[in-house]
Amino acid sequence: MTLRLRHLRMRAHTSAGPYGADFPFEPGLNVIWADNTKGKSTCMQAMLYALGLEKMLSPVRAVPLPHAMTSYLLRDDESQLEVSSSYVELEIENRAGTVVTVHRPVKQLGVDTRLVTVFFGPLLSQPSERFESRQFFVRDPGAFQREDGFLHFLEDFMGWDMPAVRKYEGPEGKLPLETVFPLFWVEQKTGWSQIPAAIPTYFRVREVQKRAVEFIMNLDVHKLELERQRLLEKIAENAKAWRVLLDEMDRLARRNGGQLSSLPKAPTIEAAQIDLWSLSIFEAEQWTPVDELIAGLRARVLALLAADVPTVGATAEALSEKLDTLGRDVDRANLERIEIHQARQLKDADIASLERRVALLKEDLVKNQDVQRLQRYSGSSGKLTPDHCPTCEQSLVDALLSQEVLEAVMPIDDNIEYIRSQLRMFGDILAREQGDQRRLEELEAAAGRKIADLYAQIRTVRADLQGPSGAPSAAVIEERVRAEARIRDLDGLVAMLNETAGRLHTLAAELGDLHEALGELPSDKMSQDDRAKLAALTNSLRQLARAFGFTTFSPDELTIDEDSYRPQKEGYEIGFETSASDAIRLKWAYQLGLLELSQEYDTGHPGLLVLDEPRQQSSSKVSFGELLERAAQYRLGSQQVIVSTSEDFDTITPILSGLNCRKIIFSGYVLQPLSSAN
């Protein structure tokens, strides 16, 4: 048992002195009896209020207790007394045997009802003792997440670790306690209306009922789903990082006049595929593998080093011829760059036109799909006619333009398919044009670098021709320096690409681990332990339904849906085909089935069941007696069931007389006058 209620105290101070009630609880069955409207349900709500769980009942911030604790109370003679202040206290115990007492004001001048004081000890059972205390807050944001929030304390006290769940808005968050408590705490007003429970939905948790049942049964299905989703998100992140690295390598190559090939475009776990990449450099009007280019440059440097550096006078004629050649090369390079630039401008214009065309096609597709939707909703045949609007069916005879052009109109379905085919075609063309655009950018960059290199050579040759004839030729020296610099640049480029390729290897290894982890998850959404728990719950549901007198159909036909965890018959959820009383019996069976499941399996159930007025819809006395008799047996398993009822006293007395249970009987109003010492 992760939560046991030991003692509830309610106090209300009036002009006639203090009024109140005490409810000492025991393990096993506890029955609270009082007539209707005498305050029986007030004590059940007071326990929820003390635990800060009133949002289980409603999102309204008002105190969920009736007038007897907030404004006025009625005495047994029906006279009224104004309530000046009031509070509730609840003594609770966890699995480890730790006992704390929770104090929360209901009406107290100058004290906010969001304040909760926890005494670390059995203050109600041992009133003469003094215990340390600490204050917490509830209802405000952070009450479940922060250290000073009471619900955060309660989660820790119960030994729960609420799972992360997805919400309709905002980031993930923990499953709220208020969505789990209805599975073992059935309040009178709405708690009996749904199976498995009337779980609040305003917390905006996706599939909140499933998540709550999975937690209370400690099913692996949600953990597996979250783990599978986490792995898939990691794989998507891996693919994104892969694309970023590919773009980085591509930019490095293009910035240096190169292009990459044989590099895997999609993430792979095969390291050998990554090592197949190669780099080519656009040099001398052709693409040359970088290794060959570097080898040629090294050979040229060695040749220049081996030869003597000639003087300017000895090379003057050759330098003049070289200057003329360089001038012609510059003219051709500039012309080539202009042609490339013009081709790129035309390509940019083509791409812009294609992008506009694709955008218009997408807009047309959406409009046609809207028309198709309206036709489907209105039940029309979907045929367009020249004298009616396809959307509103309004006559178009009086339109200003001739309608003859609409004599042969393509059906809307064919029109949508045609637009989709056009989108595919123009999308392919656009992708091809964008590839050509990138190649033109590479050629233009290479042409720019070539022109810059030619101008540098021209400056050097001119400087040689203008210098002393006996000086060593700067052009020859600069050629060697330029070749050595080019080798350094290419070596650096290859080194950076290799480093980036190394990060691709890391991503490939991570991807392999992710796929391995994903493959280790069971293909079935449920684990074997989950199926065993579901089978045990189904078996308990059938036995309990039979014991409680369920007769709409054979209890052996009852099963639990693996998706919604609701009772079903022949694959269909049980709805209006059951009588109202049988629906209540089925509710009893489900709630007790969850409690019994925790005796046999490791679940998240606290071992506590609270039922406020369980005899709904005039369920038979025999069935109600069976319910109480079954609940009394849970004392042996150290579990606790608290039942409040206003059943006829003469009827319930013989039932309770034969049961080992705690009886808390009120002959009048629950809140009674106390001595001033209390």
Side-chain angles (χ1 to χ4, degrees), residues 574-625:
I574 299 171
F576 296 108
E577 63 270 18
T578 62
S579 64
S581 57
D582 262 359
I584 296 301
R585 294 185 183 96
L586 199 57
K587 174 78 172 176
W588 295 348
Y590 197 98
Q591 307 304 142
L592 267 65
L594 289 175
L595 182 63
E596 292 184 357
L597 187 68
S598 64
Q599 297 175 351
E600 188 177 352
Y601 292 90
D602 178 24
T603 72
H605 203 289
L608 167 71
L609 181 59
V610 180
L611 304 175
D612 188 7
E613 284 286 12
R615 193 180 172 220
Q616 302 278 316
Q617 303 297 335
S618 300
S619 302
S620 72
K621 299 173 183 177
V622 174
S623 299
F624 186 55

Side-chain angles (χ1 to χ4, degrees), residues 256-307:
N256 290 273
Q259 65 176 11
L260 293 169
S261 59
S262 303
L263 195 62
K265 299 300 181 184
T268 179
I269 61 175
E270 299 293 336
Q273 293 185 18
I274 301 174
D275 295 332
L276 294 176
W277 72 272
S278 62
L279 172 67
S280 298
I281 303 296
F282 193 73
E283 191 83 11
E285 308 300 328
Q286 64 179 357
W287 291 102
T288 304
V290 69
D291 294 338
E292 294 182 13
L293 183 59
I294 292 175
L297 289 170
R298 292 188 191 282
R300 179 59 180 162
V301 168
L302 289 174
L304 291 173
L305 287 172

Side-chain angles (χ1 to χ4, degrees), residues 1-2 95 160 179-186 191-192 194-199 208-219 530 532-545 548 560-561 564-567 585-611 627 630 634 637 639-641:
M1 174 181 284
T2 58
R95 185 192 299 274
W160 279 359
T179 65
V180 177
F181 265 69
L183 290 167
F184 56 87
W185 197 304
V186 187
W192 297 102
Q194 297 180 43
I195 301 176
I199 295 174
V208 61
Q209 184 168 276
K210 288 181 60 177
R211 302 288 89 89
V213 175
E214 287 163 357
F215 173 78
I216 209 70
M217 293 179 66
N218 193 24
L219 297 180
D530 287 351
K533 289 179 181 178
L534 210 60
L537 179 61
T538 301
N539 188 49
S540 292
L541 182 71
R542 291 170 178 172
Q543 292 180 2
L544 291 165
F548 297 152
I560 303 293
D561 182 69
S564 66
Y565 309 114
R566 293 190 179 98
R585 294 185 183 96
L586 199 57
K587 174 78 172 176
W588 295 348
Y590 197 98
Q591 307 304 142
L592 267 65
L594 289 175
L595 182 63
E596 292 184 357
L597 187 68
S598 64
Q599 297 175 351
E600 188 177 352
Y601 292 90
D602 178 24
T603 72
H605 203 289
L608 167 71
L609 181 59
V610 180
L611 304 175
L627 171 67
R630 189 80 175 211
Y634 298 139
Q639 295 178 315
Q640 187 179 46
V641 180

Side-chain angles (χ1 to χ4, degrees), residues 356-529:
R356 288 193 297 271
R357 178 62 175 164
V358 169
L360 289 172
L361 284 170
K362 289 181 178 179
E363 184 179 349
D364 286 347
L365 179 62
V366 171
K367 290 179 178 178
N368 278 270
Q369 287 174 331
D370 288 344
V371 172
Q372 183 189 47
R373 183 178 296 107
L374 291 170
Q375 290 179 353
R376 186 169 63 250
Y377 291 169
S378 64
S380 63
S381 63
K383 294 181 179 179
L384 296 179
T385 58
D387 55 349
H388 287 84
C389 172
T391 301
C392 65
E393 293 297 328
Q394 182 177 343
S395 175
L396 299 177
V397 174
D398 294 332
L400 295 176
L401 298 177
S402 171
Q403 305 299 305
E404 294 179 359
V405 294
L406 294 177
E407 284 299 332
V409 180
M410 185 183 295
I412 193 67
D413 294 339
D414 293 347
N415 202 28
I416 289 174
E417 186 56 38
Y418 173 75
I419 295 174
R420 284 174 174 162
S421 67
Q422 290 282 292
L423 269 174
R424 288 192 294 269
M425 181 183 70
F426 281 102
D428 292 341
I429 296 173
L430 178 60
R432 187 168 61 250
E433 292 292 295
Q434 288 171 337
D436 292 341
Q437 182 189 46
R438 286 191 295 270
R439 283 190 291 274
L440 287 172
E441 289 174 352
E442 294 167 0
L443 291 174
E444 188 174 14
R449 285 191 299 271
K450 181 179 178 180
I451 291 172
D453 182 65
L454 289 171
Y455 277 122
Q457 293 183 54
I458 288 173
R459 285 192 297 270
T460 303
V461 172
R462 283 177 176 170
D464 267 0
L465 290 173
Q466 294 171 1
S469 60
S473 175
V476 175
I477 296 173
E478 185 175 349
E479 181 183 357
R480 189 187 72 196
V481 172
R482 194 164 51 249
E484 290 173 343
R486 181 66 166 152
I487 291 171
R488 286 194 300 272
D489 290 343
L490 292 175
D491 283 340
L493 173 60
V494 172
M496 286 188 290
L497 291 174
N498 277 325
E499 188 273 333
T500 309
R503 285 186 277 164
L504 287 179
H505 277 283
T506 302
L507 289 178
E510 291 177 357
L511 183 62
D513 293 340
L514 290 170
H515 279 298
E516 183 179 355
L518 191 62
E520 290 175 355
L521 296 179
S523 56
D524 191 0
K525 66 177 182 178
M526 284 192 168
S527 65
Q528 291 183 352
D529 192 42

Side-chain angles (χ1 to χ4, degrees), residues 26 66 81 97-98 146 180 192 204 223 259 261 295 360 560 573 576 670:
E26 297 178 351
L81 287 174
T98 303
R146 297 204 284 269
V180 177
W192 297 102
R204 307 298 293 161
K223 303 172 191 173
Q259 65 176 11
S261 59
L360 289 172
I560 303 293
E573 287 189 9
F576 296 108
V670 168

